[in-house]
Amino acid sequence: MIQHILVAIDGSETSRKAARFAHDLAQQTQSRITLLFVLEPPRMVPLGFLDSELISTGQRSAEDMERVKRLLDELAADLPRAQVQKVVEIGRPADTIVEQADRLGADHIVVGARGLNAGGKWLLGSVSDRVIHHASRPVTVVH
């Protein structure tokens, strides 16, 4: 029985579709929803011979956090008939989604497909693929 659905949100249209799908599922199962946004930490690239590192992505600012909170508030407002919790975490997206599902006791995970082309998936993998392979609960990928 599904009582708690974790929805991974990244701001893409497919993650919005995932939230709507989760809302419909929550209505059918009388479940609550957690909207999870994972901010990736800055990546450090070692420069080797200089014995230092280069930050390849920017630091997270207060404005980034405020933008994410506004997005989650907007999505929650679009899910009027569901009990919605909003969570923002910093970490590697797939790992953090699986960890949060475990920590929160979610019965089901819903993620959007980013739509990477075949070459991009082969080189980078995808968050949804990693979640499917590492989660200990059912996962629905919304296209």
Side-chain angles (χ1 to χ4, degrees):
M1 179 175 205
I2 299 174
Q3 296 179 342
H4 186 188
I5 303 166
L6 177 71
V7 185
I9 301 298
D10 65 5
S12 67
E13 182 55 34
T14 56
S15 73
R16 291 173 186 271
K17 287 180 184 177
R20 289 189 293 272
F21 174 87
H23 180 259
D24 293 345
L25 182 60
Q27 288 304 114
Q28 295 170 19
T29 60
Q30 319 233 310
S31 305
R32 69 184 195 278
I33 295 173
T34 297
L35 299 175
L36 171 64
F37 194 106
V38 181
L39 287 166
E40 288 193 63
R43 291 191 191 136
M44 307 297 266
V45 178
L47 296 176
F49 64 91
L50 296 176
D51 198 29
S52 61
E53 296 175 326
L54 173 71
I55 298 174
S56 68
T57 57
Q59 297 284 358
R60 297 296 172 201
S61 68
E63 290 139 6
D64 291 335
M65 292 299 285
E66 195 56 40
R67 183 176 41 80
V68 168
K69 288 179 183 177
R70 278 194 309 269
L71 171 67
L72 291 177
D73 288 343
E74 176 188 315
L75 284 172
D78 287 343
L79 311 176
R81 296 182 304 269
Q83 179 184 353
V84 180
Q85 176 184 4
K86 298 167 281 187
V87 176
V88 179
E89 291 289 330
I90 296 175
R92 294 178 53 170
D95 296 339
T96 304
I97 292 165
V98 171
E99 289 165 5
Q100 286 296 309
D102 290 340
R103 189 178 74 70
L104 296 170
D107 304 300
H108 196 97
I109 300 172
V110 178
V111 296
R114 289 290 291 274
L116 289 175
N117 62 33
K121 279 187 180 179
W122 183 77
L123 289 173
L124 302 173
S126 76
V127 171
S128 55
D129 286 343
R130 290 180 185 167
V131 170
I132 288 167
H133 287 96
H134 293 97
S136 59
R137 58 201 25 87
V139 177
T140 299
V141 179
V142 177
H143 292 269

